[in-house]
Amino acid sequence: MTSTRSRFSGYAVVVLALALLGGVYTAVAAPKTEAEDPVNQSIAVKEGRELYLQGCSTCHGLNNQGGAGGPSLIGVGASSVIFQVESGRMPLARGAAQAQRKMSKYDRTQTDQLAAYIQSVGGGPELPAGRLDDGELALGGDLFRTNCSSCHNFAGVGGALTRAKYAPSLTEASARVIYTAMQTGPENMPRFSDNTLTPDEKRAITRYVRHLTTEAKDPGGAGLGRYGPVPEGLVVFLVGMGLLIVITLWIGARA
Amino acid sequence: MTDSIRDRLKATGDDSEATAPDAPVSHGEHPVGDPTVSTHHSYHAELDPQSAKRAELAVAALFMLAVVGTLGFIASYVFWPFEYGEEYYEYYTPMLGIFMTLALMGLGAGAILWAKTLMVDDETVQERHLLSSADEDKEGAVAIIKEGAADSGLGKYPILRRSFLMANGALGLIAVPFLFGMGRFQHKEAVMAKTGWHKGSRLLDELGRPVKLGDLEVGGVKSVFPDVPGGRRMADSAALIIRMRPEKLKSRESRKDWVVDGHVVYSVICTHLGCPVKLYEQQTHHLFCPCHQSTFDAADAAKVLFGPAARNLPQLAITLDDEGYFVAQGDFNEPVGPSYWERKPHYKDEVK
């Protein structure tokens, strides 16, 4: 004999067990994130959900499941949100070969709230605690040249890929944007998981890229956009050859 | 002055009629003007003392600029900061360049201005005579040569002549052994077909750590080098391990065992002209060479999709050792990098 009550009681036991397990885990072993205070965290998630429904749900779905307008956000993690929103790529303005950096529509608090909400829904990579740009500079340079410079150029000013895609310039990117880009591998950029590049190595690369943007001088005086031999050749040809031609004409002119 | 030049031009044998110095030249006969008539205008002849003084000062100023440039160059060399991190160190080479430019161009421009303004610039005539020797000298030379040939005895002694020719011919054959140093003979050991990878070498990343299953996420890449002494510096052994979804990886039958759970390894040396092909597009799984835009499909044995490369990127067959680290099953399946004459016999579709 199966009564309604006993059938539901089975489910109730399972739900209770799961809640107990999850609760104990969260209390004991959950990784610390930036918003440690549980009250602030739940406010952030709530605010984030409001922002999401207003600005993101049209393309990414009311339940983050994605659709014709955009992919699912389940499992992308807080890092993806921080990257896309802080660099202004999301919300997307128009369809193109890839999303473009532009003015961010949300401020830092709102970005963090959106990130907290997406993290709460499906989990995924998130930022570590502490500073992101205090790694070893020399190691960062070495790793940058091996892993990043092939697409982003030796000085991080970007480069072309196939079919109108491109590796963007890194000069405008903040430390958070650089770190999360490595973690999440947006669009066609490869993903550098924490086993591929450890958090310390990512910090080193972040420090190196910020150093390139803020402190690194151009030996020789003028970087010419730091693109390398192309602008340098242009200057040599226009200025140098032009000067030589003018001088030649002067030498040969009648007195 | 121009009269004497014209007279001298007439004296060299040119019979064309000299026209008056100011008369217009007939363009029907000489489209570019009569070349025997001097049209030189002497600047120096009309130089008055005032203009000369001005010109002299201008030239002197340029020469002084050269002196300033030299002194500035020496001062920059000695005093300007050049160590990394010092204030304005990045302007060290531009300062040296600017002063060197002033020094050299000051001297050059001064010399040119001097030649244009202050030097005497009369037109002179240079004689042009036939260059060949007189006929009797030519005949005398021929006679000497003939006499010498007769004196040598080659005509008179046939065995001498023939053996001499044989010796010369034999000497020419000395070049033949040198041919054995070139081309196919030189590449017998196939040095260019081998890299640092061999069976059992672990894949090490750029910091020397072995790569294991789980290090890469889907869409991740890593630069790898062989686990041999000096492997990190072996430029021909540079490779890239790529992880993609196993269902996206199209492996042909003969290469099914070369991949591990969506992990695939290719050489990064472009088969076109040798640039590093490390631009990996995660979503399209294309490898892109920045030099001439050759595009390879990492999901399909690095087949060439676009660009001047004619051959796929060589693939490194990998497997896992007992501890879960990636190891190579042998060397690349073909020689890495651009084509060369003796390349073809070394291609294999199975592991070497």
Side-chain angles (χ1 to χ4, degrees):
Chain A
M1 178 188 73
T2 322
S3 71
T4 310
R5 194 163 147 233
S6 68
R7 207 163 54 218
F8 282 148
S9 68
Y11 293 134
V13 167
V14 169
V15 168
L16 195 64
L18 284 172
L20 204 64
L21 195 68
V24 168
Y25 176 80
T26 309
V28 170
K32 306 248 181 276
T33 56
E34 278 184 340
E36 269 184 46
D37 188 346
V39 173
N40 276 345
Q41 182 73 341
S42 64
I43 291 176
V45 169
K46 186 166 155 305
E47 294 294 323
R49 183 164 181 275
E50 294 301 319
L51 291 166
Y52 175 85
L53 289 173
Q54 266 180 351
C56 321
S57 56
T58 322
C59 294
H60 286 290
L62 289 169
N63 292 319
N64 317 17
Q65 81 281 13
S72 158
L73 298 181
I74 298 174
V76 297
S79 291
S80 294
V81 177
I82 290 172
F83 174 78
Q84 301 286 358
V85 172
E86 191 167 315
S87 68
R89 287 177 167 84
M90 290 290 145
L92 205 55
R94 59 188 174 95
Q98 65 187 48
Q100 287 165 317
R101 152 179 282 277
K102 53 192 190 304
M103 277 273 290
S104 176
K105 195 175 155 203
Y106 300 97
D107 64 25
R108 171 115 174 199
T109 317
Q110 291 172 320
T111 308
D112 286 344
Q113 286 166 349
L114 275 167
Y117 166 64
I118 296 293
Q119 182 73 24
S120 72
V121 168
E126 46 186 350
L127 283 177
R131 287 198 67 89
L132 297 172
D133 59 355
D134 62 351
E136 277 179 60
L137 189 58
L139 175 68
D142 205 12
L143 292 169
F144 179 84
R145 282 184 291 276
T146 311
N147 293 297
C148 322
S149 66
S150 48
C151 293
H152 285 285
N153 160 291
F154 60 92
V157 296
L161 294 173
T162 64
R163 292 189 174 264
K165 302 188 285 286
Y166 58 95
S169 166
L170 305 178
T171 50
E172 309 265 318
S174 68
R176 288 192 347 149
V177 165
I178 296 166
Y179 195 100
T180 51
M182 285 190 276
Q183 255 187 328
T184 61
E187 291 198 83
N188 275 296
M189 174 168 163
R191 277 178 80 137
F192 296 96
S193 68
D194 281 347
N195 285 330
T196 312
L197 284 173
T198 65
D200 279 337
E201 287 165 9
K202 287 201 181 67
R203 284 195 190 92
I205 294 178
T206 308
R207 167 133 186 246
Y208 182 73
V209 175
R210 292 302 305 158
H211 163 81
L212 281 175
T213 310
T214 55
E215 302 165 340
K217 298 279 193 329
D218 294 304
L224 302 177
R226 296 184 174 173
Y227 283 109
V230 172
E232 292 171 8
L234 194 69
V235 168
V236 167
F237 259 86
L238 290 183
V239 176
M241 291 287 281
L243 209 62
L244 285 175
I245 290 171
V246 165
I247 290 171
T248 312
L249 289 171
W250 176 58
I251 293 173
R254 278 180 205 262
Chain B
M1 224 188 290
T2 48
D3 281 324
S4 69
I5 293 172
R6 264 211 330 270
D7 288 339
R8 289 207 300 231
L9 282 172
K10 269 200 285 194
T12 56
D14 196 303
D15 288 338
S16 68
E17 208 163 80
T19 54
D22 298 315
V25 179
S26 151
H27 285 281
E29 267 175 46
H30 297 284
V32 293
D34 186 349
T36 61
V37 173
S38 165
T39 54
H40 175 69
H41 177 101
S42 170
Y43 181 85
H44 186 264
E46 298 168 2
L47 200 61
D48 56 296
Q50 250 181 325
S51 307
K53 194 77 197 165
R54 265 211 311 270
E56 193 185 354
L57 289 175
V59 172
L62 285 169
F63 285 152
M64 282 306 107
L65 201 63
V67 173
V68 166
T70 312
L71 293 175
F73 179 89
I74 295 171
S76 303
Y77 186 87
V78 174
F79 296 116
W80 196 274
F82 57 88
E83 301 262 7
Y84 178 83
E86 286 181 298
E87 195 76 35
Y88 301 124
Y89 85 98
E90 68 268 22
Y91 297 112
Y92 178 63
T93 43
M95 291 304 286
L96 289 179
I98 287 170
F99 283 118
M100 193 192 284
T101 308
L102 283 180
L104 295 174
M105 289 196 68
L107 192 60
I112 306 252
L113 195 61
W114 170 18
K116 275 174 178 280
T117 55
L118 296 172
M119 279 192 192
V120 175
D121 59 352
D122 294 340
E123 203 176 52
T124 58
V125 176
Q126 188 180 39
E127 303 290 342
R128 291 266 190 256
H129 303 293
L130 281 177
L131 289 173
S132 62
S133 315
D135 280 336
E136 62 239 19
D137 292 334
K138 285 188 201 170
E139 284 164 21
V142 169
I144 289 174
I145 291 169
K146 282 193 176 156
E147 198 184 325
D151 287 348
S152 72
L154 275 179
K156 221 168 121 187
Y157 304 106
I159 301 174
L160 170 68
R161 188 171 65 242
R162 287 177 192 142
S163 62
F164 182 54
L165 282 171
M166 270 182 73
N168 282 332
L171 210 64
L173 288 177
I174 272 192
V176 171
F178 289 100
L179 294 173
F180 281 90
M182 302 202 284
R184 192 175 294 270
F185 299 105
Q186 187 196 46
H187 290 135
K188 262 226 176 89
E189 280 183 23
V191 178
M192 279 169 65
K194 298 200 185 92
T195 68
W197 292 99
H198 55 267
K199 188 177 166 71
S201 336
R202 276 194 182 165
L203 275 59
L204 301 183
D205 70 7
E206 67 266 27
L207 295 176
R209 299 173 302 208
V211 184
K212 63 183 184 299
L213 190 59
D215 277 353
L216 277 82
E217 286 181 5
V218 169
V221 298
K222 229 175 183 338
S223 302
V224 289
F225 300 89
D227 187 6
V228 295
R232 171 69 177 89
R233 311 211 71 84
M234 289 180 180
D236 61 357
S237 309
L240 196 69
I241 181 167
I242 301 166
R243 182 174 189 179
M244 60 182 86
R245 292 190 193 284
E247 59 268 19
K248 291 233 154 153
L249 192 52
K250 290 179 278 211
S251 282
R252 48 184 87 158
E253 221 19 68
S254 50
R255 298 197 185 190
K256 244 179 349 92
D257 301 324
W258 293 16
V259 302
V260 175
D261 192 26
H263 292 77
V264 64
V265 180
Y266 296 109
S267 164
V268 291
I269 303 170
C270 189
T271 52
H272 174 231
L273 289 178
C275 284
V277 186
K278 285 176 71 170
L279 288 79
Y280 179 66
E281 294 173 9
Q282 191 207 133
Q283 288 173 334
T284 58
H285 48 76
H286 289 350
L287 277 162
F288 179 65
C289 182
C291 290
H292 310 97
Q293 293 81 51
S294 297
T295 313
F296 305 89
D297 188 357
D300 188 8
K303 189 175 73 159
V304 179
L305 296 170
F306 176 81
R311 294 175 286 104
N312 303 10
L313 289 175
Q315 188 172 349
L316 189 72
I318 48 167
T319 184
L320 293 171
D321 70 4
D322 341 318
E323 293 171 35
Y325 292 109
F326 287 109
V327 291
Q329 294 184 40
D331 207 340
F332 289 102
N333 70 311
E334 51 182 329
V336 299
S339 304
Y340 58 98
W341 283 116
E342 300 79 5
R343 211 196 74 88
K344 195 136 189 218
H346 298 292
Y347 173 83
K348 285 183 177 62
D349 211 9
E350 74 263 4
V351 177
K352 266 206 267 206

